[in-house]
């Protein structure tokens, strides 16, 4: 078990290296010359060349990549071209709202979607099942920003239950923090809920037809134990997998959600950085998101072995 | 008094092509400590009968009617909650497929202990101790280690032993064994049958044994009920049935069993087969259910269903032509 965890953890290193190479190549793939952007409209070719030399952009690709990689390993993501601040500092300032939003959405989505899928599978073919699945299709089809604006209109503007937009740090109290995040988490969670509920239903349907579910009933277990213990644990692997894959949805959705609800998080930072061609910031944010994604899926791979004792690598 | 009395049991399933009368008017009883075998070929309704005893038939599309009295209580009148208190406690069940009937993600000890915690209120520690005890009882070596293992770490025979341990954990009065040895190797089959016979003596539970294997019937059963197309066609004590089968279907079943010492080259010792197949149960059957495959069927058989009539001491068969005494046949 320990050996597996170690091997699996080590295997993320080449993955992260590939991600690093890709992220660094962004600079070369993307159109536009950062040196020209920094220099401004009035700059002469000599000015641009000088800036390029200062940034190290005139050196060979691999040398630049090596240096960048080395610095990155030491938690130095460079400085923003636009603000001149270290990228790590900029990310540090923006990470709390995004992390709060993502964790809250994740918890909320799992707590809602898994029971939904289980009930839908249990009541398969009835109006309860159809109702849940209709909601799931809706949740998956309507874009995050539409749901966001509708929720903000109804619950913030009309009913005045929650603030329309903005963010309150958790240090200023749990209530205000949560109040600001409820609507964003709801709108971001819809797609995720739909995805997890559908997979949960499909996976549970398969498991509920198995002989051991009949055995569990023959033992005299109640419906709750049969569904949530005997069946769900067997159905868990695909569900946990899709939760991990869905983190990507969450990251993409967070960028949009933060714009809709004016949350000063990493999503906004990313959008701003892209508009300004602030490459070090873009690189830093993309690298961070990739790292989170790889980390989550590492945890999930390790979780498999706890969920299903037959899984050994 | 009989421990279990089943009266006019009907189990019907709604299907897109019509109502499937899987079990249609079957009555039988099981005395305390007795072993009743229910035999018949695939699709004759024997498994459905056993599942309906515990009300494990999904309703809908299924529907159970008639009466199932266990210790005087009509199980069909109980609430789901009252029924749950009986399942795994007073009546428990062993299934055909030991490979798939155990939950692959829970330890063996957990699965045995579960019924004990549920029905006898044992705590986790006591349940595990009892699980070890049960594994010892069913002859699993190194039980203290095995309780912590998962089903995939056990062989087929071992898993069936675990199933038996689960079923017997709460000292049930009635054990329903649905083809308990069908999926096992012949040598393991013999071991499991020995174990069941041995435990029956010790625990004193009555057994309803569902099987299509007449060899198994001869070894463990005291009384036999033969089912065909959802009806009971013959019932007799085991020796009587093997010696004087009255119903042509039972005779066919016995004729299809190879006998030791017979050779395949002798024309006379060729295995007899029953031509044709079980009729569709979604259409009402007029006359005798077996008429379509019966060698001695006449117009009477195709027009009127024969009633189950006594054909000897504790022997009954549903056939117009099954005579009272074997000598006459």
């Amino acid at each position: 078990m320990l050996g597996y965890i170690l091997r699996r953890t080590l295997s993320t290193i080449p993955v992260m290296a590939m991600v690093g190479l890709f992220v660094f190549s962004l600079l070369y793939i993307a159109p536009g010359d950062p040196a020209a952007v920094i220099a401004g409209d009035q700059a002469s070719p000599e000015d641009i060349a000088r800036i390029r030399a200062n940034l190290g952009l005139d050196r060979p690709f691999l040398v630049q990549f090596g240096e960048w990689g080395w610095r990155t390993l030491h938690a130095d993501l460079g400085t923003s071209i636009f603000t001149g601040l270290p990228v790590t500092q900029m990310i540090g300032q923006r990470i709390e709202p995004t992390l709060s939003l993502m964790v809250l959405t994740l918890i909320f989505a799992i707590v809602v979607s898994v029971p939904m899928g289980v009930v839908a599978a249990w009541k398969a073919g009835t109006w309860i099942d159809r109702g849940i699945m209709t909601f799931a299709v809706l949740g998956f089809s309507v874009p995050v920003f539409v749901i966001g604006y509708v929720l903000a209109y109804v619950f913030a503007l009309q009913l005045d239950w929650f603030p329309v937009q903005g963010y309150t740090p958790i240090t200023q109290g749990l209530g205000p923090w949560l109040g600001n995040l409820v609507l964003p988490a709801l709108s971001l969670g819809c797609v995720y809920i739909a995805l997890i509920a559908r997979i949960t239903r499909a996976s549970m349907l398969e498991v509920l037809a198995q002989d051991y579910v009949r055995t569990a009933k023959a033992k005299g277990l109640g419906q709750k134990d049969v569904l949530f213990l005997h069946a769900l644990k067997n159905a868990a692997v695909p569900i946990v997998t899709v939760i991990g894959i869905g983190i990507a949805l969450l990251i993409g959705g967070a960028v949009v959600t933060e714009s809709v609800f004016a949350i000063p998080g990493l999503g906004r930072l990313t959008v701003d950085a892209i508009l300004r061609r602030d490459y070090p910031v873009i690189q830093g944010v993309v690298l961070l998101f990739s790292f989170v994604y790889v980390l989550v899926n590492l945890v999930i791979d390790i979780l498999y072995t706890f969920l299903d004792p037959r899984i050994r690598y | 008094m009989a421990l279990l009395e089943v009266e006019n049991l009907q189990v019907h399933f709604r299907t897109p092509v019509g109502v499937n009368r899987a079990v249609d008017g079957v009555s039988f009883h099981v005395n305390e400590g007795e072993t009743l075998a229910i035999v018949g070929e695939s699709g004759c309704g024997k498994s459905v009968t056993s599942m309906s005893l515990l009300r494990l038939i999904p309703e809908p599309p299924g529907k159970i009617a008639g009466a199932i009295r266990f210790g005087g209580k009509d199980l069909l009148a109980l609430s789901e909650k009252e029924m749950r208190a009986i399942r795994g406690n007073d009546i428990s069940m062993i299934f055909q497929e030991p490979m798939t009937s155990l939950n692959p993600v829970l330890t063996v000890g957990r699965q045995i202990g579960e019924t004990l915690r549920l029905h006898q209120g044992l705590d986790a520690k006591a349940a595990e101790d009892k699980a070890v005890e049960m594994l010892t009882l069913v002859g699993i070596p190194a039980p203290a280690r095995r309780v912590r293992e998962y089903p995939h770490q056990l062989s087929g025979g071992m898993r069936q032993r675990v199933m038996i341990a689960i079923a017997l954990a709460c000292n049930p009065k009635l054990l329903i064994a649905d083809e308990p040895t069908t999926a096992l190797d012949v040598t393991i089959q013999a071991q499991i049958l020995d174990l069941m016979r041995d435990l029956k003596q010790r625990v004193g539970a009555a057994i309803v044994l569902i099987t299509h294997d007449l060899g198994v019937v001869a070894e463990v059963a005291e009384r036999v009920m033969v089912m065909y197309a959802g009806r009971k066609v013959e019932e007799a004590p085991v020796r009587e049935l093997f010696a004087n089968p009255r119903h042509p279907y039972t005779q066919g079943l016995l004729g299809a069993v190879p006998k030791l010492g017979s050779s395949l080259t002798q024309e006379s010792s060729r295995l007899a087969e029953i031509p044709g197949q079980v009729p569709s149960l979604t259409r009402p059957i007029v006359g005798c259910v077996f008429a379509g495959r019966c060698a001695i069927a006449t117009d009477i058989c195709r027009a009127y269903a024969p009633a189950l009539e006594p054909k000897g001491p504790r022997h009954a068969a549903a056939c117009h032509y099954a005579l009272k005494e074997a000598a006459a046949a």
Side-chain angles (χ1 to χ4, degrees):
Chain A
M1 177 60 86
L2 222 64
Y4 163 67
I5 294 174
L6 196 72
R7 276 199 309 279
R8 183 61 189 77
T9 309
L10 286 177
S11 75
T12 59
I13 292 174
V15 175
M16 280 314 293
M18 287 304 292
V19 170
L21 185 63
F22 174 73
V23 166
F24 182 74
S25 308
L26 277 181
L27 211 79
Y28 287 84
I29 297 163
D33 182 349
V37 174
I38 294 171
D41 290 343
Q42 309 295 318
S44 64
E46 290 78 35
D47 290 338
I48 294 174
R50 200 182 62 246
I51 290 168
R52 190 176 285 139
N54 279 344
L55 290 174
L57 295 175
D58 55 346
R59 284 177 300 158
F61 176 79
L62 279 179
V63 174
Q64 288 187 50
F65 177 60
E67 275 197 357
W68 177 82
W70 185 249
R71 279 194 284 116
T72 303
L73 281 179
H74 293 80
D76 176 6
L77 295 171
T79 50
S80 162
I81 293 171
F82 191 77
T83 61
L85 291 169
V87 172
T88 44
Q89 189 189 331
M90 291 177 72
I91 289 177
Q93 288 167 352
R94 302 292 195 102
I95 201 161
E96 192 205 302
T98 304
L99 209 63
S100 304
L101 176 63
M102 283 176 61
V103 170
L104 208 65
T105 307
L106 191 69
I107 294 170
F108 159 70
I110 293 172
V111 166
V112 171
S113 63
V114 172
M116 256 171 72
V118 170
V119 170
W122 174 35
K123 295 283 179 193
T126 66
W127 63 269
I128 298 173
D129 174 33
R130 271 183 228 118
I132 290 174
M133 283 306 111
T134 306
F135 174 80
V137 171
L138 269 178
F140 209 80
S141 325
V142 182
V144 178
F145 61 89
V146 174
I147 298 173
Y149 283 128
V150 169
L151 287 179
Y153 180 76
V154 175
F155 294 103
L157 284 178
Q158 298 298 315
L159 295 170
D160 202 20
W161 289 357
F162 302 104
V164 181
Q165 55 179 35
Y167 177 77
T168 317
I170 196 166
T171 47
Q172 291 179 27
L174 205 65
W177 173 77
L178 211 59
N180 261 313
L181 283 176
V182 167
L183 295 181
L186 270 176
S187 41
L188 180 55
C190 272
V191 182
Y192 207 37
I193 288 173
L195 182 72
I196 301 171
R198 286 190 73 96
I199 297 291
T200 304
R201 177 180 180 272
S203 184
M204 281 292 287
L205 271 182
E206 206 175 295
V207 169
L208 286 178
Q210 298 293 319
D211 289 344
Y212 51 77
V213 171
R214 187 182 57 184
T215 307
K217 284 184 197 152
K219 281 176 170 179
L221 291 176
Q223 195 61 250
K224 207 173 65 202
D225 283 340
V226 172
L227 287 175
F228 287 92
L229 176 74
H230 280 259
L232 188 57
K233 198 171 177 211
N234 277 285
V237 166
I239 300 171
V240 168
T241 306
V242 85
I243 289 174
I245 293 169
I247 295 285
L249 272 179
L250 221 54
I251 291 169
V255 174
V256 179
T257 312
E258 285 176 13
S259 297
V260 171
F261 289 96
I263 296 169
L266 287 177
R268 289 287 298 281
L269 182 69
T270 314
V271 174
D272 291 346
I274 290 170
L275 292 176
R276 294 166 185 161
R277 292 188 204 290
D278 196 341
Y279 286 108
V281 176
I282 299 173
Q283 285 172 337
V285 172
V286 172
L287 203 64
L288 177 72
F289 281 150
S290 309
F291 181 69
V292 168
Y293 189 68
V294 169
L295 196 72
V296 167
N297 283 285
L298 167 69
V299 170
I300 281 167
D301 266 11
I302 293 168
L303 254 182
Y304 284 164
T305 59
F306 289 98
L307 290 172
D308 193 334
R310 288 167 299 181
I311 295 177
R312 286 283 178 275
Y313 298 92
Chain B
M1 196 191 77
L3 175 69
L4 177 78
E5 273 184 289
V6 175
E7 221 179 279
N8 195 24
L9 178 70
Q10 295 188 315
V11 187
H12 294 177
F13 293 92
R14 265 208 322 267
T15 71
V17 292
V19 176
N20 183 326
R21 297 171 174 78
V23 177
D24 209 10
V26 169
S27 303
F28 62 94
H29 71 278
V30 183
N31 294 320
E32 272 179 42
E34 186 188 30
T35 301
L36 171 75
I38 302 180
V39 297
E41 66 195 292
S42 309
C44 72
K46 53 192 197 298
S47 281
V48 173
T49 303
S50 69
M51 298 275 282
S52 60
L53 296 182
L54 273 181
R55 279 180 39 199
L56 288 175
I57 305 283
E59 294 176 277
K63 193 174 180 310
I64 309 176
I68 301 171
R69 275 187 293 276
F70 176 76
K73 247 188 298 187
D74 187 359
L75 298 186
L76 295 184
L78 296 185
S79 71
E80 179 60 25
K81 190 162 171 262
E82 291 168 311
M83 196 60 219
R84 280 207 300 268
I86 289 180
R87 290 186 194 126
N89 191 20
D90 296 320
I91 306 178
S92 56
M93 200 156 174
I94 304 172
F95 296 100
Q96 179 173 359
E97 273 294 339
M99 304 313 265
T100 55
S101 291
L102 290 171
N103 194 323
V105 302
L106 299 175
T107 61
V108 165
R110 170 79 184 260
Q111 294 186 62
I112 300 173
E114 198 168 41
T115 46
L116 293 161
R117 294 170 69 172
L118 184 72
H119 296 299
Q120 307 200 337
L122 298 190
D123 59 32
K125 181 77 188 70
E128 198 189 294
D129 291 346
K130 185 79 201 281
V132 175
E133 203 180 295
M134 289 310 296
L135 287 182
T136 317
L137 188 72
V138 296
I140 288 185
R145 181 168 58 87
R146 291 293 186 185
V147 278
R148 287 170 207 280
E149 289 191 347
Y150 292 92
H152 71 274
Q153 292 164 292
L154 306 175
S155 67
M158 292 259 234
R159 289 189 212 186
Q160 198 58 300
R161 284 170 193 266
V162 170
M163 278 303 297
I164 294 173
I166 292 174
L168 295 182
C170 295
N171 286 321
K173 297 191 190 74
L174 178 66
L175 179 66
I176 302 166
D178 187 357
E179 306 256 8
T181 57
T182 305
L184 302 173
D185 292 345
V186 183
T187 47
I188 308 295
Q189 275 188 17
Q191 289 176 15
I192 294 291
L193 287 177
D194 278 346
L195 176 70
M196 283 180 61
R197 246 187 327 222
D198 177 40
L199 290 179
K200 189 188 124 127
Q201 306 246 304
R202 277 202 245 179
V203 181
I207 297 178
V208 172
L209 177 73
I210 316 290
T211 184
H212 65 263
D213 187 338
L214 291 166
V216 172
V217 173
E219 260 189 83
V220 292
E222 284 147 25
R223 217 147 43 81
V224 188
M225 165 173 138
V226 182
M227 279 186 77
Y228 183 78
R231 324 263 167 106
K232 173 160 106 173
V233 295
E234 185 159 9
E235 185 189 325
V238 67
R239 281 170 192 281
E240 166 74 8
L241 188 93
F242 277 80
N244 298 314
R246 297 304 169 82
H247 198 281
Y249 178 62
T250 314
Q251 290 166 357
L253 281 182
L254 289 169
V257 178
K259 284 172 192 63
L260 209 61
S262 65
S263 102
L264 285 175
T265 50
Q266 282 174 275
E267 183 62 26
S268 61
S269 67
R270 276 191 60 157
L271 284 185
E273 58 170 327
I274 305 173
Q277 44 192 280
V278 183
S280 161
L281 298 175
T282 49
R283 266 166 290 166
I285 299 166
V286 179
C288 175
V289 282
F290 190 59
R293 298 170 73 186
C294 184
I296 60 167
T298 61
D299 288 343
I300 296 175
C301 302
R302 283 182 274 273
Y304 304 100
L308 201 68
E309 284 169 359
K311 305 286 175 183
R314 296 170 67 208
H315 193 158
C319 177
H320 292 302
Y321 292 100
L323 300 175
K324 273 226 180 294
E325 291 306 323

